[in-house]
Amino acid sequence: MLAASDHIRRAGVCSAPRRRRMRGLEPGLVVGLASIFSSSCAPEEPHHPENAIVLGALLPFSGSESAIGRNLEQAMLLAVQDLNAAGGVDGRRFHLQSRDSHSSSERGLEELLKLLYTDQVRYLLGPEENGLAREIARDVKALDVLHMLPGYAAPTVARSETMGGWMRLAPSSFDVGCTLARIAFDEGIDTVNSLAALDDYNTTVSSEFTTHFAALGGRILPSVTFRSGQQTYASKIESAFDANAGRTLLASYPTTGSTIVTEWAVSGRPGTWFLGPALRTEVLLANIPTGSLDGYVGVSPSLSLRSECRTMAEGPGAVDCTTGNAAAFIGRFSSFWDGDAPLPAAHFYYDGVVLIAMGLAYAQAKSGAIPTSGYDLHKTIRELNDPAHEAASWRDLPAAMAKLRAGIPLRYVGAAAEYEFDDYGANRHYFMQLWTVDGDALVDLAPVAVSCFGGR
């Protein structure tokens, strides 16, 4: 018997970088998996088995965000394996066809267009890069493709269309910004600013944070922006902390964030950080001085199910959640991938694949054909995830897919969330996860309710 990573190496494709083993878990042994890895890590000439239902994915396998891309693909390959083991749809198996964004807007757009026009995929997942997702919005509409957006940095979906379909799974920058603002305000902090990367996602998180803080009655001090890829950020760090804000939000991706934190530590560690969602990764911790971020608070999507959480009487926003569902998925992922642990975003990527499959199975049962219209599939997935429907867990996909193939509507209880979509296809979120750093470990704190002004 071979571990999953051995199958990948023998198939001649790249394997994910090694991560720290999870305590108490041994490498899992998996057999019979070579066929699902044929496109792993974005081969130069993607291909797929005949009659397969092809899911297209664009991820950063090379460049500054390469560690993220491989982990997210692992989650989707696991979902494909689980769905095929559950019987697929109408006798057809699923296949993941990945291409590499190279962590680059220009090269990524070229590969993304190949997925749409050369590979002619009907169901697209990713990309991680916000700008790339916006670039192809017209193509998604013109081709009537279903565009699943599991990533934190995905653009918002708040438009009605008659062609194409967009679904956003992770919390929006609105949710992140308002949660950080509420934390700062409730702690009695008077002033905030930010040090933010000049990309769509981190700039928007920074803007939402300061906007919500001002709406709560706080005072905004001058913020600082920077372009990633610089040799040094010393002048930017100095400018940000010269304002003497009560909190400074660091909104960046981990590669750049690690350089900034290291330079900040060398400069004497002025001020106090808030940490943006993209920084919750061991990539950051592996590249900063140990202990330099100890005690600083970040916010990221909660991976506790809504049914695992209850609001406490101690004060507004106080929540108590269990983590059994997320822990079960981490264990499943780790055993399948030889001890590797999933990034939090990987939970959403697994769910993105399953949501597409569930929609296809149910639509096929009701109409007699697997839908190729993104608009129609978008509508089906939203209708399936009505809170009134029976729940179906990622832990028992064979039973779920059998019921869907029989035409029984089910809502999805996934690896990351219990899904409930608004009219535009954005998943509703009720809680966010606070976390901190302790030495070389990320430590979860208590979750908080998403409680923004304006009734959100």
Side-chain angles (χ1 to χ4, degrees):
M1 298 178 71
L2 299 176
S5 57
D6 293 323
H7 282 282
I8 298 173
R9 284 192 290 271
R10 294 191 182 191
V13 292
C14 60
S15 60
R18 298 295 301 165
R19 291 179 176 80
R20 297 174 185 140
R21 290 194 184 278
M22 297 178 60
R23 294 176 183 175
L25 290 174
E26 295 297 327
L29 297 179
V30 184
V31 295
L33 305 177
S35 64
I36 72 168
F37 300 134
S38 60
S39 63
S40 180
C41 299
E44 292 182 5
E45 296 296 333
H47 63 280
H48 54 80
E50 186 177 355
N51 201 38
I53 299 172
V54 181
L55 310 175
L58 185 80
L59 293 168
F61 295 112
S62 60
S64 60
E65 304 303 325
S66 58
I68 296 173
R70 289 181 174 86
N71 191 271
L72 302 183
E73 189 195 39
Q74 285 178 308
M76 290 188 285
L77 287 170
L78 177 57
V80 166
Q81 160 66 14
D82 290 347
L83 289 164
N84 287 340
V89 174
D90 195 27
R92 298 171 62 185
R93 296 171 64 82
F94 289 94
H95 175 83
L96 182 68
Q97 186 153 301
S98 302
R99 286 186 178 270
D100 186 4
S101 73
H102 304 280
S103 304
S104 162
S105 294
E106 183 176 346
R107 297 181 69 185
L109 179 59
E110 180 182 347
E111 294 300 311
L112 195 49
L113 293 174
K114 286 179 182 178
L115 280 170
L116 292 174
Y117 292 99
T118 302
D119 305 328
Q120 297 184 342
V121 300
R122 305 301 306 163
Y123 320 107
L124 178 66
L125 295 107
E128 274 293 286
E129 296 84 357
N130 182 303
L132 287 178
R134 294 184 186 279
E135 281 279 340
I136 62 159
R138 291 184 180 180
D139 302 273
V140 168
K141 181 178 179 180
L143 296 171
D144 197 12
V145 168
L146 189 284
H147 194 178
M148 185 69 69
L149 297 161
Y152 294 179
T156 57
V157 291
R159 57 183 180 271
S160 296
E161 302 284 2
T162 57
M163 294 282 285
W166 290 262
M167 311 206 76
R168 194 185 199 286
L169 303 189
S172 67
S173 52
F174 181 100
D175 296 327
V176 174
C178 81
T179 301
L180 285 167
R182 173 63 67 180
I183 294 167
F185 184 79
D186 289 347
E187 288 182 2
I189 295 167
D190 297 323
T191 58
V192 302
N193 70 344
S194 67
L195 179 58
L198 279 170
D199 60 70
D200 286 348
Y201 177 65
N202 287 299
T203 299
T204 304
V205 167
S206 169
S207 175
E208 294 287 3
F209 168 54
T210 55
T211 298
H212 286 294
F213 189 73
L216 290 168
R219 186 160 62 96
I220 307 304
L221 299 180
S223 292
V224 178
T225 58
F226 60 87
R227 295 192 179 278
S228 300
Q230 304 301 307
Q231 291 294 320
T232 179
Y233 300 94
S235 64
K236 299 292 187 179
I237 295 168
E238 182 179 1
S239 297
F241 286 105
D242 276 350
N244 293 315
R247 289 288 188 279
T248 298
L249 170 64
L250 177 56
S252 76
Y253 291 111
T255 301
T256 301
S258 63
T259 302
I260 289 174
V261 170
T262 299
E263 292 190 327
W264 166 79
V266 170
S267 71
R269 305 181 184 182
T272 304
W273 291 116
F274 268 153
L275 303 172
L279 297 175
R280 195 191 189 286
T281 168
E282 290 187 358
V283 174
L284 175 73
L285 299 188
N287 291 284
I288 62 174
T290 300
S292 57
L293 287 180
D294 282 11
Y296 292 107
V297 173
V299 65
S300 61
S302 171
L303 296 178
S304 291
L305 302 177
R306 188 181 181 188
S307 59
E308 292 181 312
C309 298
R310 60 189 181 93
T311 302
M312 305 295 287
E314 284 78 357
V319 179
D320 180 44
C321 296
T322 58
T323 58
N325 187 70
F329 180 74
I330 291 168
R332 165 75 172 132
F333 185 104
S334 180
S335 66
F336 189 88
W337 287 110
D338 195 21
D340 286 349
L343 297 171
H347 296 237
F348 288 102
Y349 272 84
Y350 178 95
D351 288 347
V353 172
V354 175
L355 284 163
I356 291 172
M358 290 179 67
L360 293 176
Y362 183 72
Q364 195 275 337
K366 301 300 288 185
S367 69
I370 295 175
T372 58
S373 164
Y375 175 80
D376 291 343
L377 183 56
H378 178 272
K379 182 179 179 181
T380 298
I381 294 173
R382 286 192 294 110
E383 291 176 349
L384 275 179
N385 287 280
D386 186 315
H389 288 159
E390 178 187 348
S393 172
W394 68 271
R395 304 191 207 198
D396 192 7
L397 288 181
M401 294 297 285
K403 287 185 176 181
L404 290 164
R405 288 191 292 262
I408 300 171
L410 302 172
R411 61 181 175 89
Y412 180 47
V413 179
E418 293 173 81
Y419 289 92
E420 177 189 352
F421 295 97
D422 66 18
D423 292 341
Y424 302 110
N427 183 37
R428 301 179 189 275
H429 290 271
Y430 299 89
F431 309 104
M432 297 290 288
Q433 181 66 54
L434 299 187
W435 52 275
T436 188
V437 177
D438 182 8
D440 63 352
L442 297 163
V443 179
D444 284 339
L445 303 174
V448 294
V450 177
S451 55
C452 303
F453 67 93
R456 286 292 298 270

